[in-house]
Amino acid sequence: LLSDEEVAVASATLYTHLTTTAGELTYGFYVDKHAPTDGQTCWTRSMFKVGSPLRGYSGASSVGDKQFYEIQEWMADVQEDLQGFFGMKAEGFQALAGQSVNLGGVATKGGLDVNWFSIVMQNAEMMHTVANDTNMALFSMIFVWFWIVMHTGSFLIGSLGMLQIVLSLPVSLFIYRVIFRIWFFDTLQTLAIFVILGVGADDVFVMVDAWVQSRDEVPYGGGSDEDEEQILASKCDDKAFPVCCATCCCAGPCACKGHDPVRADWYVRRMEYAYSRAMKAVFNTSWTTAMAFFATAVSPIMPISTFGIYAALCIIMNYVFVMTLTPATIIIQEYYMEGTHGESSGEKQSSLPNCCWCCSGPNFGPFSDTVKGWTPPPPSKPEKVPIDEESKAIEKMKVSPCSPEGFINGYLNTMELKTQGGVRWFAISTVLALSAYGIFSCAASSQLTPPTEAEQWFPDNHIYSKALKSMDKFLSGDDDSYALFKVVYGMKGLDRSKYNVYIPAENRGETKYDSDFDLQPAAAQNAFLDACDTIRNYPCKEKGCQFGLLIRPNTTTCFLEEFQTWHYNTYAETTYDCTATEFYSRLTTFRETTAPKADPYGDWSTEIGMIDGELKFATIDSRMTMKVLQSVIVKRPISKIADNLVDDLVTTSTLNKPFQWTWDWVWYQTEEGLIIGLMLGMAIALPVAFATLIFATGNVVVSLYAIVSIGFVVASVLGACKAYLDWDLGIAESVAGVIVIGLAVDYTIHMGHMYDHASHEIGAQDREARFRFAVEKMGTTVFAGAITTAGSGMFLYFTVLLFFSKMATLIVFTIFFSFLYSFGFFMALLLLAGPEGDFGRIGYILESLGLRKKADYEKPASAAVVDEALAAPIGSGEVALKGDEDTNL
């Protein structure tokens, strides 16, 4: 160990040097920012460089090649050893959850707190964490399955509903890859699972609830005993249908299972009612959501665009499954499994005898000649059990206030409440309050800007987050901490005619070289040397630059300067005195026998581009004063300065204008593309949503109210990110922006469609009746869908990567504000100022303008008919497939 005196001398020398620019560049890497003034440092660090090629390889590794993955595996082993040495391995619940690093732990040894970091290690940790975090999808699936079972009251429908949601993923993947020919599938695509879980469950609820509500909406047997007899007679006359078994079963006793044609006909008409209503309702939301995701296909970022395409295909395939498998499952559940006569489900019964086609004996059977022409005895008439208003009120009181039906009861009672002056102050207050909040959110969301710091992937208590944040504490960084900057001559572009953007690791393109490029002429050499000087001294006053320069001092490698010195020492003449043949022959010798002064263990392969014995390109390498992993805000102005630098360089006939490049510009373009994609996606998705609303409601006024509500939802979600969480418009926010639109439209479209449907189904013309009809018929469906989508997204809170936890927040925010604005703003606005009669209807407007012939509208239903239709208890059939005694039907 050093003596105290030696330490004191070295320390004094170090801190003296730190007061100069040269000393800061040399020693600033090892001390914190306060060391020059405090005379001591609380932080210090070391760096270990790992080289390539590994044993068995002849060249350096490239991203994606075999050597790259071997290095990554080796570094992962080193990381595991470091975790074990410093006691940072995950234990207990963290280990059980599959995590590798002890989150929240402190690596301590010998009284020192230690952090470590490597890009390769971070990538390996990220891959492990992503694989582990996506396991949360399993818990989301279990939750959604459980909620479907609870809401429908059917294990079969819940299970097959979940199966069809899951099936939409591989079927969509087949279309995605085989038909669309998109082979790229990565981490981002897995987010489609959480989206389709919520959307798929909502579609199942719409179908099942429409079916159960059909019990009250579709009259049994056509509404009278005479209708039942006509149905029975038509079935008995139809030879394709089993002969009415009243002709056998009523002739004598037999043990058989019954088949009631009246009941079967009722089921057909109920399914027609439920299917037609659900088909349009689910189509409206599926179309809008799918189009919102398809809108991301315009994103210049390929993983984002392909995610949108895959998610949209999942939405479409789920719609197909919901409209095919779910109806069949419902019929199997109720018609075949709940009892052939419906006794177990408390259904209505035919007043006619059951039909049987299993009687035994030579003279009995469905096609027996013996029974032809036989007339069954008159059917017994069941007594009608009236349900008076008092019993209805008692049934309503039985509904739990915590249930979906209880919520809808309370919502209706509150919204429809009038004061003595006949004013609905509560509805007015909610509309005004949410309008004000929406305006505030618009202002807050407009303040979202690209991040001012590098994107953070791990939580604050992760060792890599700690290490990255500690780097800002140091006075200066090593050269590798700053962006590598290249000025390249001799390349004209890239031929990417064989490149498939969806297979990014293959056929990335062939370089097109400048045929005029020639460095041997004296004018070209002087221009190249002038470029080296210009690069070294180019000014930069932006926030991300240091020392007032674009390039760090003493980091520019100008091979022509070293070649000229070597050439003179070797041949006793300048490079200007050579012929072209001599120049390139000697340059080749220099390239193969020497190394850069700044990197004695390196070579000239990237600076002197010899291909097949010809100089095809040449580069000037340096390190920028801009650190790596900077934000868009920092990089944007510096990028423009770098472009200006290239414009200022001298060119000749054989040394054309070069281009500048740094890896940080690649990520910068990605971040800019995320923002552009978000803006374009919104510009497409919102008009599509409005067009869908026009199609769904057929009413301009309802559509305008709805699109304002959707706009407020999007603004509220993004505004909350800025106002409450102080987030920037980073990667997660950009990806989620269009997802928000897709999810935000569902509830509003459901409610708006049902408001319009009230006039067709029950003849309601006034806004109050339409409002109540829409809330009663679709309220609990929306309520259940909100719980499902939010619940499935909440499991992302248990992930490690901040990207996933941010997505959880954005999904939950979207569902919360969508639910709040659909009930508190949109429906309240319809109650207060919704269109009545034909006002705002597209057809009526066209007729008024003389653009369409007037149609013979149906007469509006009487007030008594409307009141009777609205008199059923809240939740009539809303909890599907349970007995009347359980659901208060």
Side-chain angles (χ1 to χ4, degrees):
L1 295 177
L2 296 176
S3 65
D4 292 342
E5 183 179 352
E6 290 174 316
V7 170
V9 172
S11 177
T13 304
L14 172 66
Y15 290 115
T16 300
H17 282 297
L18 288 176
T19 59
T20 65
T21 300
E24 181 179 333
L25 287 169
T26 305
Y27 302 111
F29 174 80
Y30 303 101
V31 297
D32 64 33
K33 292 179 179 179
H34 305 290
T37 56
D38 294 349
Q40 63 178 11
T41 182
C42 297
W43 292 79
T44 190
R45 59 182 172 179
S46 298
M47 174 175 287
F48 301 92
K49 292 192 175 184
V50 180
S52 65
L54 300 179
R55 184 179 292 114
Y57 294 92
S58 59
S61 68
S62 298
V63 175
D65 64 11
K66 185 177 179 181
Q67 184 179 191
F68 171 82
Y69 289 111
E70 284 194 24
I71 292 174
Q72 199 169 56
E73 291 177 5
W74 177 74
M75 291 294 283
D77 293 338
V78 173
Q79 173 182 249
E80 187 174 351
D81 292 340
L82 287 171
Q83 292 170 359
F85 182 77
F86 289 104
M88 286 294 291
K89 284 189 175 182
E91 299 177 350
F93 177 78
Q94 291 182 359
L96 187 64
Q99 297 172 14
S100 61
V101 179
N102 178 18
L103 296 179
V106 179
T108 303
K109 209 72 174 179
L112 294 175
D113 293 343
V114 181
N115 293 324
W116 65 84
F117 177 81
S118 163
I119 289 291
V120 179
M121 285 184 177
Q122 178 181 257
N123 290 341
E125 173 69 8
M126 186 172 293
M127 292 174 63
H128 171 82
T129 305
V130 167
N132 187 60
D133 284 350
T134 52
N135 292 332
M136 287 295 109
L138 177 62
F139 295 98
S140 293
M141 292 167 63
I142 294 173
F143 171 81
V144 172
W145 169 81
F146 174 78
W147 184 249
I148 296 176
V149 171
M150 291 297 295
H151 182 73
T152 62
S154 168
F155 178 85
L156 177 66
I157 291 180
S159 300
L160 288 183
M162 176 53 62
L163 177 63
Q164 71 189 25
I165 292 171
V166 174
L167 279 177
S168 65
L169 297 170
V171 174
S172 299
L173 183 60
F174 174 83
I175 299 172
Y176 175 82
R177 285 194 165 175
V178 176
I179 298 178
F180 282 70
R181 308 298 295 172
I182 301 175
W183 294 98
F184 183 83
F185 195 91
D186 209 343
T187 304
L188 195 58
Q189 275 72 7
T190 60
L191 286 176
I193 298 175
F194 299 95
V195 174
I196 197 63
L197 283 173
V199 173
D202 179 67
D203 293 347
V204 171
F205 294 152
V206 172
M207 185 73 219
V208 172
D209 289 351
W211 162 258
V212 180
Q213 290 170 13
S214 68
R215 290 181 181 178
D216 299 316
E217 303 298 336
V218 179
Y220 186 79
S224 66
D225 293 335
E226 289 76 11
D227 292 333
E228 295 183 14
E229 292 173 5
Q230 292 177 4
I231 294 171
L232 183 61
S234 67
K235 298 300 182 185
C236 291
D237 292 340
D238 187 1
K239 297 304 180 182
F241 192 91
V243 174
C244 177
C245 286
T247 58
C248 76
C249 287
C250 296
C254 66
C256 62
K257 293 183 177 180
H259 183 86
D260 186 347
V262 178
R263 177 170 171 268
D265 178 78
W266 183 50
Y267 269 55
V268 170
R269 289 183 291 111
R270 283 182 61 190
M271 183 53 70
E272 288 176 350
Y273 167 88
Y275 196 92
S276 62
R277 198 177 89 178
M279 180 174 64
K280 186 174 181 181
V282 176
F283 174 81
N284 293 335
T285 55
S286 298
W287 167 260
T288 311
T289 306
M291 288 304 103
F293 285 122
F294 271 132
T296 63
V298 302
S299 172
I301 309 303
M302 184 271 291
I304 303 294
S305 63
T306 53
F307 160 72
I309 294 171
Y310 178 66
L313 290 174
C314 290
I315 298 296
I316 294 171
M317 291 312 306
N318 180 75
Y319 172 75
V320 172
F321 286 139
V322 165
M323 300 312 299
T324 53
L325 297 183
T326 302
T329 306
I330 291 172
I331 294 300
I332 292 172
Q333 171 71 36
E334 280 217 345
Y335 195 77
Y336 294 104
M337 297 183 65
E338 290 291 333
T340 56
H341 303 302
E343 290 92 344
S344 64
S345 60
E347 289 181 357
K348 301 176 182 179
Q349 298 300 304
S350 170
S351 60
L352 297 172
N354 291 326
C355 191
C356 160
W357 45 300
C358 62
C359 297
S360 59
N363 296 325
F364 294 93
F367 301 102
S368 172
D369 292 334
T370 306
V371 299
K372 286 183 178 179
W374 183 85
T375 303
S380 58
K381 304 288 185 180
E383 294 185 6
K384 305 295 183 181
V385 182
I387 303 178
D388 55 24
E389 295 301 320
E390 181 179 359
S391 64
K392 288 182 181 179
I394 294 174
E395 293 299 319
K396 287 186 179 183
M397 292 174 62
K398 293 180 181 180
V399 176
S400 170
C402 298
S403 66
E405 293 81 8
F407 167 79
I408 297 301
N409 269 332
Y411 173 78
L412 285 172
N413 293 335
T414 305
M415 279 294 176
E416 294 179 335
L417 182 66
K418 293 183 179 180
T419 61
Q420 291 182 351
V423 180
R424 292 189 170 96
W425 285 112
F426 185 83
I428 294 174
S429 300
T430 56
V431 170
L432 292 177
L434 289 176
S435 297
Y437 185 79
I439 295 172
F440 161 77
S441 297
C442 289
S445 61
S446 67
Q447 301 300 314
L448 277 171
T449 57
T452 56
E453 297 178 355
E455 192 84 25
Q456 183 176 335
W457 298 103
F458 294 101
D460 290 338
N461 58 356
H462 195 285
I463 189 167
Y464 290 151
S465 295
K466 294 178 183 177
L468 284 171
K469 289 185 177 181
S470 69
M471 291 182 184
D472 291 332
K473 299 179 183 295
F474 290 91
L475 183 61
S476 181
D478 71 312
D479 288 345
D480 290 339
S481 300
Y482 296 87
L484 175 63
F485 184 76
K486 285 178 173 284
V487 173
V488 184
Y489 290 90
M491 295 184 183
K492 292 179 63 176
L494 200 63
D495 179 10
R496 310 193 79 179
S497 57
K498 298 180 181 179
Y499 175 66
N500 185 342
V501 67
Y502 302 123
I503 312 177
E506 300 179 8
N507 299 320
R508 297 189 60 83
E510 295 182 3
T511 304
K512 294 188 293 184
Y513 296 103
D514 183 0
S515 58
D516 296 329
F517 175 63
D518 186 359
L519 191 59
Q520 185 270 334
Q525 293 187 50
N526 290 332
F528 194 91
L529 295 173
D530 180 76
C532 294
D533 290 334
T534 301
I535 291 170
R536 288 189 181 101
N537 301 296
Y538 207 78
C540 178
K541 305 297 183 182
E542 297 296 333
K543 176 183 176 182
C545 294
Q546 298 176 355
F547 315 115
L549 296 173
L550 180 66
I551 302 301
R552 282 172 62 83
N554 304 320
T555 62
T556 300
T557 300
C558 186
F559 81 87
L560 187 56
E561 293 175 342
E562 296 190 36
F563 172 59
Q564 288 184 338
T565 301
W566 173 87
H567 187 277
Y568 186 82
N569 293 334
T570 304
Y571 300 101
E573 62 180 7
T574 68
T575 56
Y576 302 110
D577 301 324
C578 301
T579 63
T581 302
E582 291 174 336
F583 179 87
Y584 288 115
S585 173
R586 294 168 182 179
L587 181 62
T588 301
T589 303
F590 169 80
R591 180 179 184 268
E592 294 175 351
T593 59
T594 67
K597 291 181 180 179
D599 185 12
Y601 298 101
D603 57 43
W604 294 108
S605 58
T606 60
E607 290 85 359
I608 305 174
M610 287 289 187
I611 299 176
D612 297 330
E614 294 184 25
L615 181 66
K616 292 292 187 179
F617 67 91
T619 69
I620 303 172
D621 292 0
S622 54
R623 290 284 176 175
M624 303 179 71
T625 55
M626 179 188 76
K627 291 185 176 181
V628 297
L629 303 176
Q630 294 299 299
S631 67
V632 174
I633 295 295
V634 173
K635 286 186 284 192
R636 184 180 291 147
I638 299 177
S639 173
K640 294 179 180 179
I641 292 175
D643 289 334
N644 293 337
L645 163 64
V646 172
D647 293 336
D648 292 342
L649 296 180
V650 176
T651 60
T652 70
S653 60
T654 64
L655 196 69
N656 293 320
K657 180 180 177 180
F659 68 87
Q660 57 89 12
W661 177 88
T662 174
W663 178 256
D664 284 66
W665 296 159
V666 177
W667 186 240
Y668 163 66
Q669 293 296 331
T670 300
E671 294 171 307
E672 290 280 41
L674 288 170
I675 299 171
I676 294 171
L678 174 61
M679 298 298 106
L680 290 175
M682 287 188 173
I684 296 172
L686 285 175
V688 169
F690 181 72
T692 306
L693 286 163
I694 291 287
F695 171 79
T697 65
N699 193 293
V700 175
V701 177
V702 175
S703 300
L704 287 174
Y705 290 172
I707 202 66
V708 171
S709 178
I710 293 169
F712 279 161
V713 171
V714 175
S716 296
V717 173
L718 298 179
C721 294
K722 182 63 179 178
Y724 308 137
L725 303 175
D726 197 26
W727 287 358
D728 297 309
L729 193 57
I731 296 174
E733 295 83 358
S734 301
V735 172
V738 178
I739 297 179
V740 168
I741 300 175
L743 296 179
V745 299
D746 284 8
Y747 306 150
T748 303
I749 287 183
H750 278 324
M751 303 303 286
H753 170 237
M754 216 29 65
Y755 182 90
D756 173 72
H757 200 65
S759 62
H760 304 292
E761 189 163 324
I762 64 172
Q765 298 297 311
D766 62 282
R767 61 177 64 98
E768 289 84 0
R770 290 183 176 184
F771 166 82
R772 173 170 278 271
F773 178 85
V775 174
E776 288 184 348
K777 294 302 180 183
M778 195 56 71
T780 51
T781 303
V782 170
F783 186 94
I787 291 178
T788 307
T789 308
S792 65
M794 288 188 70
F795 284 94
L796 287 171
Y797 279 121
F798 299 99
T799 58
V800 175
L801 282 184
L802 291 182
F803 176 81
F804 288 128
S805 59
K806 278 188 174 183
M807 291 301 300
T809 299
L810 289 163
I811 290 174
V812 172
F813 274 10
T814 301
I815 299 306
F816 170 75
F817 284 113
S818 297
F819 189 83
L820 178 65
Y821 271 92
S822 62
F823 280 94
F825 177 82
F826 178 63
M827 290 308 298
L829 192 57
L830 289 176
L831 175 63
L832 296 171
E836 295 182 319
D838 295 323
F839 183 79
R841 191 176 295 278
I842 298 295
Y844 181 75
I845 294 174
L846 294 177
E847 292 169 5
S848 300
L849 296 174
L851 301 176
R852 198 176 85 173
K853 291 182 179 180
K854 290 188 176 181
D856 294 328
Y857 292 105
E858 296 181 3
K859 294 181 179 180
S862 63
V865 174
V866 175
D867 291 342
E868 181 180 354
L870 297 175
I874 302 300
S876 298
E878 296 291 334
V879 180
L881 310 180
K882 292 184 179 179
D884 292 358
E885 67 277 8
D886 296 326
T887 58
N888 305 322
L889 299 182

